[in-house]
Structures are given as structure tokens and as C-alpha cells.
Amino acid sequence: MKHFLKVTDFSHDEVELLFQNAAEFKRLGRHTPALLQRQSWGMLFYKNSTRTRVSFEVGLNELGAHAVMLSTGNMQLSRGETIADTARVLSRYLSGLIIRCYEHSVLEEFASAGTIPVVNALTDLTHPCQLYADLFTLAERWSPGEGEADVESLRGRKVAFLGDTACNMANSWILAAAHTGMEISLAGPAEFAPSQAARDLLKQADLPETFKFTTDAREAVRGADVVYTDVWVSMGNEAEEAARLSQMQPYSVTADLMAEAAKDAYFMHCLPAHAGQEVSQEVLDSSASIIFDEAENRLHIQKAILAALAGEPR
């Protein structure tokens, strides 16, 4: 049994196969083979969601599976049942479990105690499904053949990540860049520099510390093939909103800043975007912006991930 808790849980060769399958699922759309027919997968969400919930639910449906929506508020978890006992019970009913939560340790406890595959649909530490959708989107653009998504097309490309460079998306990009041979330069306030958690993820995966950090946004973006940013105030950080908005203003992605990147650079954002904060409306609407391709590809790459993890139907 295999889980998908972080970017490096699939090897380079497995990522290549996932991308091939995602490209085929994208071509087939609603005619994707029912590889998960008669399976039921739980979707346990501690946090609100738009893209994650809809893309997983639609993906499960297109693979022939049934999605069981769960929230902590209407489960015995809210009355003190342990995560371990809940994981053991759900394993008797379900074929897999998709979890979106705050603490990464919660996800790991479910994976450890249960006997079914667990998929990370976002934690405060990492967001690997979004990251795979991002990489797949870039591989589509950079692969020579139409309909192809060659993971090798990513090697040597430069990504600039701006803003909160200690957030879950920054951690995921740091790990993914080392995993795929990409260059990554991050820029943000010194207080939001990449954390020890990112270094620990690299160490656990036996990967080198290849990322660079600077407080100079232009230095990070110069010559980049991709400029990436995320919201400055994530769910759970609302009390710090005023301070964060003030500190991160120099890292807003504007057309002027994009001009420092490579001529054919792409702008990416995992959404929801806040125009006028981390990115200008002009950049969001520009031809460099591929944010909705990223959003769509959540569906296709997650179908490939689910198909890879699925065992024999119950």
C-alpha cells in the first residue's frame, strides 16, 4: 500500500508515468476508464475548499468511484474519538482517504493507523497535489509534442517564488525543484524565509539543498521561466493580516516585475488570487498567466494519482 503525503512519495520514473496517464485522462475527459469502479473514497476536510473538493469529487466520479464527503464537525472526531480509531474504522468501509487539514502530523497519523491509501489534499506543511498540477501544466507547455507532458522538459528551468516563502506551497516547490532538477529562487521578507521544515523535507528525501533565498524580488525573478506566488494571508493566519500585507508589498508580482523574467516566462498562482495584493490584475489577465490551466489540471493529475494508489476494488 502506498500513500501520497508529499512530493517525493513518487519516484522520478513514477512521476513520468503519472504525467503520461494524466495527459491521456485529459484527452479522454469524461470517457476515462472506470478504473476505480465500485470503490468508495472518503474526503475528510478540516478546511474549506473550492478547487480541491470539486476536482477530487469529479475525478472520483469519472474513475467510477463514489465520493463520501466527511467533515470533523459531523463525525465522532468532534466528540473525542481518536484519529487512530477513526482511521481503523474508515479502513473497513473505504478504498482510500483524501484529507485536507492543518497539522501534517494528523495526516501522518491517519496513514499510519489505517490500512488504506491516504492522499494529502493540503496541510500547513505541503500541498503536493497542487504542485503536481503545476509541474504537469509546465511540462505540457515545454514538451515538444502536442498532448505530451514530459517531466524531463522541466530540468534546468528556473522558478521564482515570491511572498511567504515559508508556506506550504513554497515548501512543496523547494522539494519539487530538487526532485526534478529545476532551479528555484525565493524572495520575501527575512521573517518569512524558508523554514527548517523545508530543509527537513529535503533531508528526509535524501535530496540536496538547492534553493536560493533573497529579500530582493528582482534578483529572484531575473531570467526566471516561471514566476509563482501565493496568497499572503492563508487560512489560519487572519490575525496577522495587517502586518503581512505591509511586509510583503515589495513582493507583489506586477508587470514591471514580470519584465525581469525570461521573455516567454509564465505566471502561476494556486488560487484564490487577491488582485492588488500578491499580484496585479494586469498580470492575472496577461498572456503569461496560466492560472486556469493549473486549476483544470488538478482534475487530470489527481485522477492519475488516485489510479496509481488504488488497489483491488472491495
Side-chain angles (χ1 to χ4, degrees), residues 3-4 29 52 65 72 90 92 95 133 178 180 201 206 213 219 231 243 261:
H3 304 293
F4 184 50
T52 300
T72 54
L90 293 179
R92 302 295 181 103
S95 297
T180 60
L201 286 169
D206 197 24
F213 173 76
E219 179 184 332
V231 294

Side-chain angles (χ1 to χ4, degrees), residues 181-198:
M182 298 181 80
E183 180 184 347
I184 182 164
S185 186
L186 305 101
E191 301 91 323
F192 295 91
S195 67
Q196 184 59 42

Side-chain angles (χ1 to χ4, degrees), residues 65-116:
H66 171 61
V68 182
M69 290 304 306
L70 305 165
S71 69
T72 54
N74 57 20
M75 296 175 66
Q76 296 295 341
L77 278 169
S78 65
R79 299 180 63 244
E81 184 168 39
T82 66
I83 289 173
D85 283 356
T86 303
R88 293 182 185 112
V89 169
L90 293 179
S91 296
R92 302 295 181 103
Y93 304 139
L94 302 170
S95 297
L97 188 57
I98 297 158
I99 302 176
R100 182 179 174 92
C101 61
Y102 293 92
E103 299 90 353
H104 194 78
S105 59
V106 169
L107 186 81
E108 292 178 322
E109 191 170 353
F110 268 103
S112 175
T115 57
I116 53 177

